[in-house]
Structure formats: structure tokens, C-alpha cells
Amino acid sequence: MPPHTILHLDLDAFFASVEQARHPEFRHRPMIVGGTSQRGVVSAASYEARRFGVRSAMPMWEARRRCPQGVFLPVDMETYVDYSRRAVEILSRYSPRLDPASVDEAYLDVTGCLRLFGGLGSICASIKRDIADELGVTLSIGAAPNCLVAKMASEWDKPDGLSVVRPEELPGRLRPLPVAAIPGVGEATRQRLLQMGIETIGELARVPHMLLEQHFGKQGAYLYRAARGRDDRLVGFYQLGEDARQQISREETLARDTRDLEVLELRLLRLCEEVGRSLRAQGRRAKTVTLKVKLSDFKLFTRSTSLKAPTELDEAIFEHARGMLGGVQFGAQRARLIGVVVSNLTEGSGPGQLSLFDAEPSRLSELARARDAIADRFGPTALIRARLVYEHTAS
């Protein structure tokens, strides 16, 4: 059986690139997108801004200090999701085997389509051209025999790059790279490997499977395979508009790790507002709410709850998420990231959630839509909850 040809397509500095595409006057200027409060963090920085040392997850005050001449804009997730969907539609023209892994990246299996489009170089050039012409943004492509190596390769030549790893080049192409180049190897894992005298993927590849599992458990098996460039995952068939993939999520990396529940609840409320507004904009309601908290040691806490009836209301989403937040066992750790996800989406507007509030659900829905209209006309900070005034004015 011939090897697969998998593309990992990574939209470059996506949020910032979309803003530059929407605002031609900002092209070639440093663009920083993120939270606008004093505790806000950078969600995306254009490559012009990165020359000043601005990076994702950096506190916004630090970004302003490093790049005072930059253009600073708040996150407009509805627009970015729309661009992401349009990108997926473009990719679907090239192969039915497609996996939109996140809002700004996707895997595409072009094994059976190479001859149709004139070979690997031709298909990659055509994808890049379509994305640039129709969306006004660039993407970097990694091409390899599997998803793991394709994702690694897409990072090697940014922005607007193309890196190809052929089957016969594995695992040698990976050996000189630092272990942090392996997807999923964060700072905590890198430090543990460093304590074992392991800095490169080549050094990791010499460690016995049993020893890695002894030190890292199930992650050890993954590290053993990754160091050899092995990945058995397949890219499945994708159907545009597939309901099973539909969900809306918002998350934020905190400027400072904290266990202060009041601070965490305020951040959570802001995120739930954004999720609720997205639901109403799409004319949908959610049946499931999921809380996501990443701790200082990078352990991830997730809890989900199913609602009695689907909702589009910020308040309902927040009340369920806040209840799950109270159950997080921090121990000696603090929260470094908090997020909320709504899923099991249904078509149709209206609150559907009857048990949390005394007011009529229809009136709550009307009130939420009135707030949306004000925000659309006058900006997201035109009308602010009293609890969140400090969050918006502390910058």
C-alpha cells in the first residue's frame, strides 16, 4: 500500500490576518488582536508585530509597551469563524478527506487527488492561491506521510510557507529538532525530559519504550512513536455543515495564574457572554455546557452538563459553568486558562431554559437581543454589566 500524503494547513496569524484583510489600511502595520482590559492577553499578533517581540498569550499591557505604534483590536470571533468556514469550503474542493482541527488549522488527505491536480507542488500552490484570492490571508502547509509530521512541518517555514517531508526522510528529518517541536510537548514535559538529559528528538528516539512509559505513562507511548515520526491516525471524510462538529467555544489564558474564584467567575462571565451572542447570531441554542480549566501544571480539568432544555442565554450558560467551576479541585495549583464550550446545538432562537430565572424566558431573550443590537451598532463596550465594568475600564 503506497504511503499517504497528508497536508496540515495552518492559517498564518489568523485573527490578525483577517483584520488586515478586512481593513486594507492596516496592511503591513503591526496588528494585535486580544482582550482590551488590563488583564487582557494577546490572541494573535501579525508578523509585523512579532518583530517587536509581541506574542500570543502575552499580557496586553506588555504588548502595548513593546509596540505602542501597533493597531490594537478586540477579538471578533463571529467574523473569524466565518472566515474559517469559508476556508474549509475551499479545502473541500481538493479532497473529501478533510479534518478541520480548529478555527485556524485543518488536515487534508490528498493521496488520491495528486494526479488530478498535477502533483503535490501544484495542489499546494493552488490551495494557497485560492485562500489568498478569496479570503485575503495566507497559510503555511506541511506535507508528510502522516498527520503528526505534517503538523510539525507546517511550522518550519512561516508565514506562507511549504515544507515537505517524504517517507524516506523519516525519522532522520526530525532528529535535530528540539523535543518541544513535537505537538503536545509543553514546557512541563520539556523540563522533565531535560532532567533526563533529553533535548532533541534524536536523543528522545534512543530512550527505550518501557522507560518512557515508566516516567510519562500513556504519554510515554506517544513520545516514543512521535520521536520516530509515527502516527496511525487517518483523515476521515468530511461533510460540510456536519452537525456532529458544531460547537461554539471561547477560552482565555489568564495574565496571571490564580485560584481567586471571583476573578475566575468574572472571566467566565465574559466568555459566556461571547458564546451567548454567537449562539443568537447563528439562530441556535445549546443543550450542553462544558467548562474547561487548565492548571499551572498544565493538567486539564473539563466537566460537562446537559440542560433540561436548549438555551441561547448568557445567564443560563454562566450559571451552569459557574456551578462546575466550584467543583474544580485546585490543590496547590492555580488556574492558567479558563474556557467554556457549548455543544449539541439546535436550530431556532428563544431561550428554552425555564428553571433559572423568575422573568419570562421570552423577555430575557428579547433583552439579550437588544443588547446584541446595541453592541452591533455602538461597539462591544457600549453596554456593560455592572460586574464587568472594572474588567473593561482597567486597561
Side-chain angles (χ1 to χ4, degrees):
M1 181 177 178
H4 287 270
T5 301
I6 308 296
L7 306 183
H8 181 260
L9 308 112
D10 192 355
L11 293 158
D12 299 314
F14 183 47
F15 295 178
S17 295
V18 168
E19 296 296 351
Q20 289 178 322
R22 296 170 67 197
H23 304 284
E25 68 273 21
F26 295 151
R27 284 190 180 275
H28 310 302
R29 291 186 60 186
M31 169 71 68
I32 298 98
V33 177
T36 56
S37 73
Q38 185 66 24
R39 290 179 56 84
V41 296
V42 175
S43 296
S46 70
Y47 285 88
E48 295 86 355
R50 296 183 189 189
R51 297 191 188 106
F52 294 88
V54 179
R55 294 288 185 270
S56 296
M58 174 181 287
M60 191 61 81
W61 62 264
E62 176 68 13
R64 291 182 185 276
R65 186 187 68 80
R66 294 192 181 201
C67 189
Q69 68 272 51
V71 178
F72 291 81
L73 291 177
V75 173
D76 183 358
M77 189 57 70
E78 286 78 18
T79 296
Y80 309 148
V81 169
D82 177 61
Y83 269 70
S84 179
R85 287 175 179 162
R86 291 162 60 190
V88 168
E89 290 175 2
I90 293 170
L91 297 179
S92 69
R93 303 170 192 168
Y94 290 91
S95 173
R97 289 189 173 273
L98 168 63
D99 178 13
S102 71
V103 72
D104 62 352
E105 63 176 330
Y107 294 94
L108 194 68
D109 187 336
V110 296
T111 307
C113 311
L114 291 176
R115 293 181 63 183
L116 178 64
F117 290 98
L120 179 59
S122 178
I123 195 171
C124 290
S126 184
I127 290 172
K128 283 175 169 287
R129 184 171 57 250
D130 285 352
I131 292 289
D133 290 348
E134 298 181 38
L135 301 184
V137 301
T138 64
L139 81 165
S140 296
I141 301 177
N146 59 56
C147 294
L148 172 74
V149 181
K151 181 174 176 64
M152 296 171 69
S154 68
E155 295 288 333
W156 296 346
D157 186 24
K158 280 182 164 291
D160 197 21
L162 171 62
S163 299
V164 178
V165 181
R166 304 190 184 281
E168 62 271 19
E169 296 174 332
L170 289 175
R173 190 80 177 271
L174 307 182
R175 286 174 186 152
L177 301 177
V179 290
I182 298 174
V185 174
E187 182 60 21
T189 301
R190 190 188 73 83
Q191 288 293 337
R192 291 178 65 187
L193 289 169
L194 187 60
Q195 292 172 3
M196 298 170 64
I198 301 168
E199 296 186 63
T200 68
I201 293 177
E203 291 168 343
L204 178 62
R206 293 195 290 269
V207 181
H209 182 281
M210 185 177 299
L211 183 60
L212 287 173
E213 284 201 333
Q214 179 182 337
H215 281 270
F216 297 95
K218 291 183 179 180
Q219 188 188 19
Y222 167 71
L223 293 173
Y224 182 85
R225 295 192 302 272
R228 290 158 175 77
R230 298 177 187 171
D231 185 6
D232 297 330
R233 289 176 295 167
L234 298 177
V235 180
F237 290 95
Y238 179 72
Q239 181 180 352
L240 291 175
E242 190 175 358
D243 289 342
R245 291 181 178 271
Q246 293 176 352
Q247 63 178 31
I248 297 173
S249 65
R250 298 290 187 274
E251 63 182 42
E252 180 177 337
T253 300
L254 304 172
R256 295 179 180 83
D257 295 359
T258 183
R259 282 184 291 179
D260 188 326
L261 284 181
E262 184 177 356
V263 171
L264 293 173
E265 285 184 7
L266 288 176
R267 309 313 303 149
L268 187 60
L269 179 56
R270 281 278 298 278
L271 297 173
C272 290
E273 281 189 337
E274 295 176 15
V275 167
R277 189 176 178 197
S278 294
L279 281 170
R280 294 187 293 274
Q282 297 179 26
R284 296 183 179 187
R285 296 178 295 178
K287 188 72 165 56
T288 301
V289 177
T290 301
L291 173 72
K292 176 180 178 181
V293 178
K294 184 176 288 186
L295 302 179
S296 304
D297 61 359
F298 291 86
K299 289 183 179 178
L300 185 62
F301 173 97
T302 59
R303 290 290 185 275
S304 297
T305 186
S306 294
L307 313 185
K308 292 181 179 179
T311 188
E312 61 176 5
L313 295 178
D314 317 348
E315 294 87 348
I317 297 167
F318 174 65
E319 287 301 321
H320 285 90
R322 181 171 65 174
M324 290 182 284
L325 178 62
V328 177
Q329 300 297 320
F330 289 100
Q333 302 298 317
R334 300 170 183 266
R336 70 183 311 270
L337 175 146
I338 189 166
V340 63
V341 183
V342 293
S343 55
N344 288 337
L345 306 187
T346 61
E347 299 292 337
S349 59
Q353 176 59 248
L354 304 179
S355 60
L356 293 177
F357 314 106
D358 294 328
E360 293 181 12
S362 60
R363 294 185 60 187
L364 290 171
S365 183
E366 291 171 5
L367 177 61
R369 291 181 180 280
R371 294 201 313 267
D372 295 345
I374 292 171
D376 289 339
R377 183 172 181 181
F378 299 106
T381 60
L383 190 63
I384 305 170
R385 296 177 190 269
R387 288 186 65 185
L388 296 177
V389 168
Y390 177 77
E391 294 288 312
H392 285 274
T393 60
S395 57

